[in-house]
Amino acid sequence: VSRRAGDGPYDIVVIGAGTAGLVTAAAAAGLGARVALVERGRMGGDCLNTGCVPSKALISSARLVARMRRAAEWGLETAEPRFSFEKVFARMRQRREKIAPHDSQERLEAAGVAVFRGTAKFVSPREIVVENRRLAAKRFVIATGGRPALPPVEGLSDVSFFTNETVFDELMSRPPRLAILGGGPIGCELGQVFARLDVKVTILQRAERLLEREDADASDVVRRALETDGVRIATGADVRRAARAGGGVRLELAGGEAIEAEALLVASGRAPNCEGLGLEEAGVAYTKKGITVDSFLRTSQRHIYAAGDVAGLGQFTHLAEQHARTIVRNILVPWPKARADRALLPWCTYTDPELARVGLSEEDARRGEIAVDVFRFELSDLDRAIVESEEKGFVKILTAKGKDRILGATIVGERAGDVIAEIVLAMQAGVGLSTISETVHAYPTFAEGNRRAADVRVRSRLTPVARRLLALRWGHS
Ligand SMILES: Cc1cc2nc3c(=O)[nH]c(=O)nc-3n(C[C@H](O)[C@H](O)[C@H](O)COP(=O)(O)OP(=O)(O)OC[C@H]3O[C@@H](n4cnc5c(N)ncnc54)[C@H](O)[C@@H]3O)c2cc1C
């Protein structure tokens, strides 16, 4: 292994050019550090190439198809949309292309980052090799992300199937039927997309409900929406065996039922990319869940950090970005250190309607025996939702029992991922629910749903005595 000019020592070597790696590298270089970034695949990682961006681009087309089918609800003639599956996919790739320059090698190099293409492997705690080159650094950031985890289904390796790594680029025409293993966010989002694009979709979910991290009432709204789009949902489905059948696949469930489809999408979990990285040589501890990190994202080697999906703390682009910012800040300003585990983590599943969450759910509260008050407002009572014919869903906000402090929120509905931002900010800033109630919201907006849920608390706070006084004030006996 040779050592050449440009091989360091660097201030920071970043492994992986997904969100976590890109943000770390660009931010550190922007602050004057000597940075190298190593990527073995496509620049941009999962989010750009095989995750958020292509899935949201397809969701956008599928949403329009669904709205066209519902045109009569807006007083228009219903016209069955005419579309080609291939063109919808081409449009998705074209949208992705439009975002790609942002994450490109050129942009990183222009920002002063040395970019190396190839697989990185630690050979010692202070050095990695990439394609026969050695790179030495004072600090490392491991941002190698994750990959689809394959479920233990007998025969799965003998049948052909898609994962998020292949479906956006290798599915070339519309399969008449698609089976999806997994009813989490990826399975639900893509299941709805494919159903709207005229594929007969069956989601096989091992748990008793879709999106099992979410409250049952929220999950139920999503389930009904998917079923309206024609998705068949089998919950409590224990898929035992997969075998080739005709040109497609046959899945056998415990209990004897079998499902056949021309295509199969496996979306039943993710695994961190820890293997082949030389973590043993580096002395970096990890488990099946990911690289072990402390609150500051340091691994068992203090000069080596882990960020994003590989750290096993959650699988979101915004979390990867927050990790990157925390690491760069802590390297630059070592005291007082910023803790990565203090930030609130909202998330959203981009089904139609969307399901957004921050903080505690009602079921979390019950499980943890945390005393809460729950304030709920149905979108079917919200003027904007009514005029938009988008009345499915609700806003649910949890506060500490008898207190103003917000502990969590679940919003299901149109643009729920955007609407929840107000609650996230309120929680982050320690602003209580009464302030949301007092805040003037533009009428008519979906965000008004937050205020209406907050108003429920204000009304519920009126004591019987206050009610009686008010009645007297109005001259009622
Ligand atoms: C279908 C799908 C939809 C999603 N939608 C959303 C969404 O809407 N919102 C959201 O917040 N999140 C979403 N996610 C999750 C999001 O994509 C990830 O959380 C995010 O990409 C994590 O970023 P990362 O930087 O940790 O890892 P990645 O983006 O996975 O990047 C890791 C990079 O490291 C490289 N690498 C790995 N090992 C090595 C090595 N040894 N040497 C060199 N390079 C290496 C990989 O090639 C990869 O490019 C979605 C994921 C999927 C699969």
Side-chain angles (χ1 to χ4, degrees):
V1 176
S2 65
R3 183 184 276 289
R4 281 178 259 161
D7 295 354
Y10 288 94
D11 293 317
I12 307 175
V13 164
V14 181
I15 306 174
T19 306
L22 286 165
V23 175
T24 306
L31 294 167
R34 223 174 143 235
V35 183
L37 173 66
V38 188
E39 172 55 53
R40 69 175 178 195
R42 287 190 273 184
M43 297 290 290
D46 255 354
C47 180
L48 172 66
N49 300 296
T50 53
C52 333
V53 170
S55 59
K56 268 80 253 177
L58 288 181
I59 285 169
S60 176
S61 295
R63 181 189 151 84
L64 183 56
V65 167
R67 294 296 177 282
M68 288 173 76
R69 288 189 175 130
R70 290 173 51 202
E73 290 178 42
W74 283 269
L76 311 178
E77 297 296 328
T78 318
E80 183 52 27
R82 294 201 339 221
F83 62 89
S84 113
F85 192 82
E86 292 73 15
K87 280 194 188 155
V88 169
F89 269 61
R91 182 253 178 201
M92 169 269 287
R93 292 186 201 108
Q94 181 265 334
R95 294 283 94 186
R96 190 174 59 181
E97 285 295 296
K98 185 150 193 206
I99 297 176
H102 207 79
D103 295 353
S104 66
Q105 180 161 348
E106 295 71 42
R107 194 186 74 93
L108 269 286
E109 285 173 346
V113 176
V115 179
F116 295 86
R117 305 304 285 264
T119 300
K121 186 173 185 305
F122 282 96
V123 285
S124 78
R126 304 255 168 208
E127 256 181 334
I128 60 167
V129 284
V130 187
E131 307 287 315
N132 284 334
R133 292 182 76 158
R134 265 176 198 269
L135 304 182
K138 292 185 216 147
R139 293 185 182 83
F140 293 86
V141 178
I142 304 172
T144 50
R147 61 179 185 281
L150 301 183
V153 171
E154 192 193 323
L156 190 61
S157 54
D158 302 328
V159 302
S160 70
F161 59 83
F162 294 98
T163 65
N164 72 290
E165 291 183 348
T166 52
V167 74
F168 301 112
D169 292 287
E170 293 174 24
L171 178 62
M172 288 305 167
S173 60
R174 185 178 67 84
R177 293 171 300 175
L178 172 72
I180 301 182
L181 282 188
I186 300 174
C188 288
E189 289 181 4
L190 292 182
Q192 189 175 40
V193 163
F194 282 109
R196 289 176 161 187
L197 297 179
D198 288 343
V199 177
K200 279 197 171 14
V201 174
T202 304
I203 294 181
L204 298 155
Q205 162 77 326
R206 182 184 284 270
E208 289 307 319
R209 61 170 185 253
L210 299 178
L211 305 173
E212 56 178 323
R213 285 175 80 175
E214 312 297 350
D215 279 343
D217 52 358
S219 159
D220 203 48
V221 177
V222 172
R223 179 183 184 129
R224 276 183 277 132
L226 263 60
E227 283 174 341
T228 304
D229 284 313
V231 179
R232 197 187 143 216
I233 297 160
T235 47
D238 183 4
V239 180
R240 289 287 172 83
R241 241 178 70 77
R244 270 184 254 173
V249 61
R250 177 185 160 85
L251 299 168
E252 290 168 19
L253 279 66
E257 201 194 338
I259 279 149
E260 290 195 6
E262 283 69 29
L264 171 64
L265 174 68
V266 177
S268 55
R270 314 264 313 152
N273 286 331
C274 297
E275 297 75 14
L277 259 176
L279 293 181
E280 290 75 12
E281 286 79 352
V284 169
Y286 65 101
T287 67
K288 269 199 317 218
K289 289 189 176 161
I291 294 178
T292 310
V293 289
D294 65 11
S295 313
F296 311 108
L297 301 167
R298 293 177 304 197
T299 68
S300 51
Q301 290 280 12
R302 295 193 140 216
H303 66 290
I304 303 179
Y305 297 77
D309 283 10
V310 78
L313 301 171
Q315 295 150 359
F316 301 105
T317 294
H318 44 281
L319 182 65
E321 178 165 357
Q322 186 248 350
H323 282 177
R325 287 165 177 239
T326 306
I327 290 172
V328 174
R329 185 200 172 280
N330 283 347
I331 291 176
L332 224 77
V333 188
W335 199 89
K337 281 197 187 329
R339 294 177 63 129
D341 52 0
R342 286 282 159 84
L344 276 169
L345 179 66
W347 63 80
C348 182
T349 300
Y350 297 86
T351 43
D352 179 14
E354 295 179 355
L355 194 168
R357 243 295 283 293
V358 62
L360 274 193
S361 71
E362 233 180 317
E363 288 175 27
D364 287 341
R366 210 171 302 137
R367 265 192 302 271
E369 296 179 8
I370 301 166
V372 293
D373 288 319
V374 180
F375 303 101
R376 198 181 149 109
F377 185 76
E378 300 294 329
L379 291 198
S380 53
D381 286 332
L382 187 70
D383 290 1
R384 180 61 184 270
I386 295 168
V387 297
E388 295 280 350
S389 291
E390 302 292 358
E391 295 159 72
K392 290 195 196 78
F394 57 81
V395 176
K396 178 161 71 173
I397 305 177
L398 276 66
T399 57
K401 187 138 199 85
K403 302 262 164 54
D404 199 30
R405 188 158 57 92
I406 305 171
L407 297 181
T410 296
I411 304 181
V412 191
E414 179 78 358
R415 304 278 163 194
D418 295 292
V419 173
I420 204 162
E422 178 181 25
I423 311 287
V424 182
L425 178 62
M427 289 174 72
Q428 181 82 29
V431 168
L433 198 55
S434 53
T435 306
I436 293 184
S437 169
E438 288 154 15
T439 302
V440 178
H441 288 63
Y443 172 90
T445 54
F446 281 97
E448 233 195 326
N450 294 338
R451 204 211 73 221
R452 300 289 296 272
D455 286 349
V456 177
R457 173 171 194 270
V458 174
R459 277 198 304 276
S460 72
R461 301 277 299 162
L462 281 182
T463 60
V465 174
R467 276 182 207 284
R468 227 169 304 133
L469 286 174
L470 281 174
L472 285 175
R473 181 78 185 85
W474 292 112
H476 309 158
S477 55

